Amino acid sequence: DTGVSQDPRHKITKRGQNVTFRCDPISEHNRLYWYRQTLGQGPEFLTYFQNEAQLEKSRLLSDRFSAERPKGSFSTLEIQRTEQGDSAMYLCASSPVAATNEKLFFGSGTQLSVL
Amino acid sequence: DQQVKQNSPSLSVQEGRISILNCDYTNSMFDYFLWYKKYPAEGPTFLISISSIKDKNEDGRFTVFLNKSAKHLSLHIVPSQPGDSAVYFCAASAKGGTSYGKLTFGQGTILTVHP
């Protein structure tokens, strides 16, 4: 069990640029989640995949955001035309489909700074 | 609207004493509650959870109490240790359908345990 891996750990970009983050879940986990955390707040749900199917998207996920999980393994989160308000920690989490509780395993996150 | 609230931004306790972290929720549909711990530069780590059919769950030094009528839960850590110093997040979910793993987090409480 190598845990949930996220890349990069930090990203600094200029407003208007596109950025893409990658998440590698724990290998046997079918469910994958993206959350966003801003300073002084708890993580906020963005979207959720079961295998390659994106089953739910939050209202927070504007049309500038797109997430994919093409082969049901790793996932990418892309933000187009970044804005300063996008600056946050982007957290990925995974869980096994057979889980009877809602325990999520989180990665260390990607810290995005939009200048 | 903040459906899960942790009204104490910080808590300071002496090593060996009890730490009590509190959490309130407003959504009656929540039926599963979790506590996560987060160290700097790491993702949240699952600590303990409780289903709404119970009012107490214990795991070693950690006990979670749920008062459904008051829509309140608390995490007790006894005895507190310096290594417990971290940010603690309360989270809640409404099971069923496609909402599995969609957690609503509180703002977090910074716990500091002094030697």
Side-chain angles (χ1 to χ4, degrees):
Chain A
D1 178 3
T2 57
V4 177
S5 176
Q6 291 190 246
D7 184 70
R9 291 294 304 271
H10 304 274
K11 179 71 177 177
I12 300 174
T13 190
K14 292 183 178 179
R15 189 175 52 188
Q17 298 293 306
N18 299 344
V19 294
T20 300
F21 311 139
R22 177 182 170 120
C23 171
D24 288 89
I26 294 171
S27 58
E28 64 270 23
H29 287 186
N30 303 79
R31 294 189 173 123
L32 186 148
Y33 310 81
W34 285 99
Y35 281 77
R36 179 172 70 185
Q37 184 180 9
T38 53
L39 200 61
Q41 300 296 317
E44 295 175 294
F45 172 82
L46 292 179
T47 189
Y48 150 56
F49 291 85
Q50 181 159 315
N51 299 313
E52 64 273 12
Q54 189 173 18
L55 296 185
E56 189 162 349
K57 292 168 60 173
S58 164
R59 292 173 299 172
L60 295 173
L61 216 62
S62 76
D63 56 6
R64 297 185 297 104
F65 288 71
S66 62
E68 294 182 344
R69 195 181 183 197
K71 296 182 181 179
S73 56
F74 74 92
S75 175
T76 58
L77 177 67
E78 181 183 17
I79 309 174
Q80 296 182 325
R81 306 180 303 281
T82 52
E83 301 173 356
Q84 287 185 326
D86 297 331
S87 295
M89 173 73 79
Y90 290 83
L91 293 162
C92 177
S94 69
S95 72
V97 70
T100 55
N101 58 41
E102 312 232 8
K103 175 182 174 181
L104 304 185
F105 296 80
F106 281 88
S108 297
T110 294
Q111 182 66 54
L112 173 66
S113 298
V114 181
L115 305 178
Chain B
D1 64 334
Q2 193 76 28
Q3 296 185 65
V4 178
K5 295 182 183 181
Q6 294 174 257
N7 292 317
S8 298
S10 63
L11 176 67
S12 182
V13 300
Q14 207 67 31
E15 181 178 7
R17 297 288 185 97
I18 184 171
S19 296
I20 300 176
L21 297 99
N22 294 303
C23 177
D24 297 291
Y25 63 96
T26 57
N27 189 339
S28 300
M29 299 299 292
F30 288 148
D31 56 6
Y32 200 83
F33 304 89
L34 308 91
W35 285 92
Y36 278 82
K37 179 170 72 174
K38 185 179 183 305
Y39 293 118
E42 294 183 12
T45 303
F46 172 79
L47 196 56
I48 192 170
S49 62
I50 187 166
S51 166
S52 60
I53 62 173
K54 296 184 176 181
D55 54 18
K56 177 183 174 181
N57 189 26
E58 194 170 352
D59 184 2
R61 297 185 297 114
F62 303 92
T63 304
V64 57
F65 296 91
L66 175 62
N67 183 334
K68 288 190 298 265
S69 60
K71 293 191 175 65
H72 177 85
L73 63 156
S74 61
L75 174 69
H76 293 210
I77 306 174
V78 182
S80 301
Q81 299 173 353
D84 295 330
S85 298
V87 181
Y88 287 78
F89 291 101
C90 169
S93 73
K95 272 191 174 178
T98 59
S99 295
Y100 207 92
K102 180 182 175 182
L103 303 181
T104 301
F105 284 83
Q107 310 95 308
T109 296
I110 301 170
L111 173 64
T112 304
V113 181
H114 299 282

